[in-house]
Each structure stands twice: as structure tokens, then as C-alpha cells.
């Protein structure tokens, strides 16, 4: 498994945030249905990002609101929304 594939298993497909827990199965196509919530955009993994259409809709909605943090206290001081979005694989944009 490549490093980029491993990295993508931990990333929110909506906002690109890298989580501490794996949110996608080893094949990268199956959600783990962990019911974890992204601390950045508030996406429920395996539900609000289960299809490409849902991922795009939720990303647009989050960005239209100004990309607010769901758990503000977890936002890094040096956070850059564009840098984080650049981590989303091209096929999910």
C-alpha cells in the first residue's frame, strides 16, 4: 500500500482534515461506519461522505459557510484551509 493511499484512509473526504483514526477501509472504497465526526467540518464519516455527490455537496456547504471548525478548540493556530483542501485526492473534487 502506498503512503498516499494510507494517508487518504485517515483523511476526511469533505475537508481534507487528517484524523487520528482510520475512517476508510483498507481498500479505500468502503467506509468503516465508525460514526466518527470530523472535528474540522463536522462530517459524519461513512454517512455524509458515502457517495461522491454527497461529498461534493457537503464540501460546498461547508465552504459556503466560510469553512468553520466543528470543534473550534481543535483548530491548529497555523491552519490553512487551502493547504488542507489540497490533500483531498483529485478524484474526490
Amino acid at each position: 500500500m502506498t503512503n498516499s493511499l494510507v494517508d487518504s484512509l485517515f483523511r476526511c473526504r469533505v475537508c481534507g482534515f487528517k484524523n487520528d483514526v482510520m475512517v476508510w477501509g483498507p481498500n479505500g472504497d468502503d467506509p468503516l461506519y465508525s460514526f466518527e465526526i470530523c472535528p474540522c467540518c463536522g462530517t459524519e464519516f461513512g454517512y455524509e461522505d458515502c457517495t461522491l455527490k454527497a461529498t461534493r455537496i457537503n464540501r460546498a456547504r461547508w465552504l459556503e459557510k466560510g469553512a468553520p471548525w466543528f470543534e473550534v478548540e481543535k483548530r491548529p493556530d497555523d491552519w490553512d484551509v487551502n493547504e488542507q483542501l489540497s490533500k483531498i485526492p483529485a478524484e474526490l473534487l
Side-chain angles (χ1 to χ4, degrees), residues 15-82:
C15 73
F17 180 77
K18 187 170 183 180
N19 292 275
D20 295 332
V21 297
M22 193 166 73
V23 295
W24 288 90
N27 67 3
D29 293 328
D30 300 320
L32 294 178
Y33 297 108
S34 63
F35 304 105
E36 296 282 333
I37 305 292
C38 178
C40 181
C41 68
T43 295
E44 182 178 338
F45 302 123
Y47 177 64
E48 294 174 307
D49 59 356
C50 62
T51 66
L52 182 56
K53 182 178 179 179
T55 299
R56 289 175 174 166
I57 288 170
N58 283 300
R59 183 180 307 120
R61 186 178 301 140
W62 177 67
L63 291 171
E64 285 171 8
K65 292 178 182 176
W69 270 71
F70 184 71
E71 295 181 41
V72 179
E73 67 280 359
K74 292 188 177 182
R75 180 182 175 188
D77 291 335
D78 62 348
W79 181 70
D80 181 317
V81 66
N82 293 316

